[in-house]
Amino acid sequence: DTGVSQDPRHKITKRGQNVTFRCDPISEHNRLYWYRQTLGQGPEFLTYFQNEAQLEKSRLLSDRFSAERPKGSFSTLEIQRTEQGDSAMYLCASSLSGPGNTIYFGEGSWLTVV
Amino acid sequence: AQSVAQPEDQVNVAEGNPLTVKCTYSVSGNPYLFWYVQYPNRGLQFLLKYITGDNLVKGSYGFEAEFNKSQTSFHLKKPSALVSDSALYFCAVRGDQAGTALIFGKGTTLSVSS
């Protein structure tokens, strides 16, 4: 098992463009999470899935953000009409269900909006 | 609402000395507490967690943490610091109710000098 993988690792885009990030979780994990981290801050929760169902979304997740997990395996996070304030590292994580189970993080996808 | 406080932005210790990184939390119900470490431009690595049972939890790389319910604290400790322990450390908490997300503190930078 290779852990949580994210692609691309780095993305530079012009303001107004759309970007999409992909996350492949640990294979047996039914929960998948997206977090955002800016410099000097801890990760901020965006959303999570249990299997293919999106169960919770943060108020941070504006209408320009959409996440999917169509077959309960990999997930995509799309940001439409990017803004400079979207520049951050987007972290994907996965776990088994249950609050005591460890959440394992990927290496993150850096987004720079110019 | 859940919250985590890491009162120190930075902790400086000399190699070989004991280290403590502080964390206090607020959560409804029983807490599930986690420590993660992050190296520059990398994702988060799991160190240890408290679910229930013994208040002293042992984790990876010689780290341990002590859960104190009355003080709502979960301080990270190591008896003898290494230069390679220098990194950014995050405390995180989630409650035992279904659907609660893992909430992170702002992080504490640990600097170990030789």
Side-chain angles (χ1 to χ4, degrees):
Chain A
D1 190 354
T2 57
V4 180
S5 61
Q6 294 187 241
D7 183 71
R9 292 292 316 281
H10 302 275
K11 178 73 175 178
I12 300 174
T13 191
K14 292 183 178 180
R15 190 175 51 188
Q17 297 294 306
N18 299 343
V19 296
T20 298
F21 299 110
R22 175 182 169 121
C23 172
D24 288 272
I26 294 171
S27 57
E28 65 267 27
H29 286 178
N30 56 350
R31 285 198 174 174
L32 186 148
Y33 309 81
W34 286 100
Y35 282 79
R36 180 173 66 191
Q37 186 181 19
T38 53
L39 285 175
Q41 299 295 321
E44 297 173 302
F45 170 75
L46 293 178
T47 187
Y48 91 91
F49 294 83
Q50 178 149 319
N51 301 313
E52 66 275 11
Q54 189 173 17
L55 296 188
E56 188 175 347
K57 291 169 61 174
S58 165
R59 289 170 293 176
L60 294 174
L61 210 63
S62 77
D63 291 344
R64 297 185 296 105
F65 288 68
S66 62
E68 294 183 341
R69 195 183 183 197
K71 297 183 179 179
S73 56
F74 74 92
S75 175
T76 58
L77 176 69
E78 181 183 19
I79 308 173
Q80 296 182 326
R81 305 180 304 280
T82 52
E83 302 172 355
Q84 287 190 322
D86 297 331
S87 296
M89 182 160 70
Y90 290 85
L91 291 161
C92 178
S94 71
S95 75
L96 296 170
S97 57
N101 284 305
T102 301
I103 296 177
Y104 294 95
F105 284 80
E107 291 293 315
S109 292
W110 277 104
L111 173 64
T112 302
V113 182
V114 298
Chain B
Q2 301 172 169
S3 66
V4 177
Q6 294 183 243
E8 302 153 318
D9 290 337
Q10 181 151 343
V11 170
N12 299 310
V13 297
E15 189 173 32
N17 284 357
L19 69 88
T20 299
V21 182
K22 295 180 180 178
C23 171
T24 59
Y25 67 90
S26 174
V27 69
S28 299
N30 295 316
Y32 296 89
L33 295 152
F34 300 79
W35 276 101
Y36 287 83
V37 61
Q38 187 176 37
Y39 296 96
N41 301 316
R42 303 292 298 276
L44 277 69
Q45 293 180 28
F46 168 73
L47 279 179
L48 50 80
K49 66 182 178 183
Y50 171 83
I51 302 176
T52 187
D54 195 348
N55 289 343
L56 185 63
V57 178
K58 295 187 183 296
S60 307
Y61 313 119
F63 283 93
E64 57 191 27
E66 187 168 11
F67 171 63
N68 187 317
K69 187 174 183 178
S70 62
Q71 296 185 3
T72 61
S73 66
F74 189 57
H75 301 331
L76 181 70
K77 300 181 180 184
K78 188 174 182 181
S80 178
L82 299 173
V83 172
S84 58
D85 292 331
S86 299
L88 183 56
Y89 290 80
F90 291 100
C91 181
V93 68
R94 67 194 310 183
D96 59 0
Q97 298 165 358
T100 54
L102 189 61
I103 302 301
F104 286 83
K106 290 188 173 183
T108 298
T109 299
L110 175 65
S111 179
V112 182
S113 57
S114 58

